[in-house]
Amino acid sequence: MSERAGGPAAMKPTVAPGRVKEVTSVSNPIVKDIRALALKKGRDETGLFLAEGLKLVLDAVDAGWKMETLLVSRARLPESELLQKAAARAVASGADLLECSEKVLAAVARRDNPQGAIGVFHRHLTPLDRLDPGADGLLVVLDRVRDPGNLGTVLRTADAAGARGVVLVGDCVDPFSLETVRATMGSIFAVPMARASEEAFLAWRRRFAGLVVGTHMKGDTDYRAPNYAGRPVALVMGNEQAGLGEAMAGACDTLVRIPQVGKADSLNLAVATGLMIFEARRSVLKLAEASR
Ligand code: SAM
């Protein structure tokens, strides 16, 4: 699997096939354990997380993420070829298959109309030093992002623009929460993600030879002014409430601002990140579009 795919090492070539079980009661202990993954404590204790929906499950498997268990709708299984394909792949990869009632799926997904498949996967992060922007790639750095929807949207946007990784600095929201995974629409499986303390990030920054652009409400440079092309770039985005911390801002080569009119104090973090990513990738995306 390529670095770009972002997933962990490919699955073992020979694994014992997973077990198949039928589960109809929400009080089944297996269901209880899986439901605990909706909470951060459950995810931290097990190293597992949930991905809902057939598309996400297949995206994860295609990218080489290790599946522990697949829950599928027992009622929808006979009529859905895709569900059957996912179930077969899960069992072949060594994951357990749980054929569940709609009630069980709804309890795990915490939704009235659950999707027909929910995967339980092993969490995977890339060490910061292993994120490779290449000669002219982009890394997105988020300083204490707190909102799961913002983080999910940033991962999705970073994926769409071909960013080479996302770095979560300091006390960030859990990227493996149900809400974040949902908001990524599968991009969590495609973009390598690293987590670092502020101190570790600042040490990495001192070794990073590319351009570090911070976004700041008091930035003195228009966000379109820097030359982002032809070199590795790290875009640093601030916290939703507090903005970019002082030490983080001080570590940037330049602080840019996206011009605004009107009464809004600032842009939403995910919107600002989207504008920045597409500006920084403008020349690369133009070339990619021209060769299509
Ligand atoms: N009250 C915060 C402040 O004063 O920085 C607002 C934070 S804003 C909601 C979250 C982040 O989005 C900012 O730290 C910055 O990274 C980015 N951002 C939002 N609007 C921006 C703008 N007009 N120019 C540059 N960055 C912006």
Side-chain angles (χ1 to χ4, degrees):
M1 197 186 47
S2 72
E3 259 294 84
R4 173 77 187 94
M11 285 169 193
K12 287 173 264 167
T14 48
V15 284
R19 294 159 297 174
V20 181
K21 287 189 193 127
E22 198 176 300
V23 182
T24 51
S25 164
V26 289
S27 51
N28 184 314
I30 306 175
V31 177
K32 257 174 101 181
D33 286 350
I34 293 175
R35 287 182 74 185
L37 301 177
L39 300 176
K40 186 165 184 305
K41 183 170 177 277
R43 296 191 292 274
D44 285 345
E45 279 170 7
T46 57
L48 300 171
F49 71 104
L50 299 170
E52 287 169 83
L54 201 47
K55 178 191 174 295
L56 253 66
V57 165
L58 291 172
D59 282 351
V61 172
D62 285 343
W65 284 61
K66 187 168 168 13
M67 195 194 296
E68 179 75 9
T69 306
L70 178 66
L71 293 83
V72 292
S73 158
R74 198 161 53 107
R76 292 184 233 179
L77 196 55
E79 71 218 27
S80 167
E81 263 181 46
L82 263 185
L83 214 50
Q84 290 163 18
K85 180 180 154 200
R89 287 187 70 176
V91 175
S93 73
D96 288 338
L97 178 69
L98 303 183
E99 297 182 1
C100 302
S101 62
E102 293 296 306
K103 220 163 126 189
V104 166
L105 287 173
V108 172
R110 302 183 166 209
R111 282 187 168 185
D112 285 343
N113 287 311
Q115 306 237 18
I118 302 174
V120 178
F121 289 92
H122 289 258
R123 296 191 305 195
H124 175 73
L125 290 167
T126 302
L128 180 54
D129 280 327
R130 297 267 306 278
L131 281 188
D132 179 14
D136 61 355
L138 177 73
L139 298 177
V140 180
V141 180
L142 300 173
D143 177 19
R144 296 162 296 149
V145 56
R146 297 303 311 162
D147 182 87
N150 277 344
L151 176 54
T153 306
V154 168
L155 283 164
R156 185 177 175 184
T157 311
D159 179 21
R164 302 292 291 267
V166 171
V167 186
L168 305 175
V169 178
D171 187 18
C172 288
V173 64
D174 182 6
F176 298 107
S177 74
L178 258 176
E179 298 91 317
T180 304
V181 175
R182 255 179 215 150
T184 72
M185 299 290 285
S187 292
I188 190 164
F189 302 116
V191 183
M193 244 186 329
R195 208 155 35 188
S197 64
E198 183 178 282
E199 202 181 18
F201 172 76
L202 294 173
W204 172 88
R205 188 274 167 269
R206 287 191 283 276
R207 298 190 297 274
F208 179 68
L211 177 71
V212 181
V213 178
T215 51
H216 205 286
M217 302 315 295
K218 296 195 178 128
D220 55 7
T221 305
D222 185 288
Y223 77 116
R224 291 158 292 200
N227 179 11
Y228 299 98
R231 52 180 162 171
V233 174
L235 282 183
V236 188
M237 308 299 302
N239 165 269
E240 289 93 339
Q241 259 79 49
L244 201 53
E246 229 175 278
M248 295 289 286
C252 297
D253 293 312
T254 177
L255 291 178
V256 302
R257 189 165 192 280
I258 303 165
Q260 291 182 209
V261 292
K263 289 203 165 60
D265 287 338
S266 61
L267 296 166
N268 160 277
L269 168 63
V271 170
T273 311
L275 286 168
M276 288 301 303
I277 290 178
F278 275 84
E279 180 58 28
R281 300 293 291 162
R282 193 149 55 98
S283 57
V284 176
L285 290 167
K286 231 184 205 165
L287 279 178
E289 195 61 25
S291 66
R292 278 173 64 155

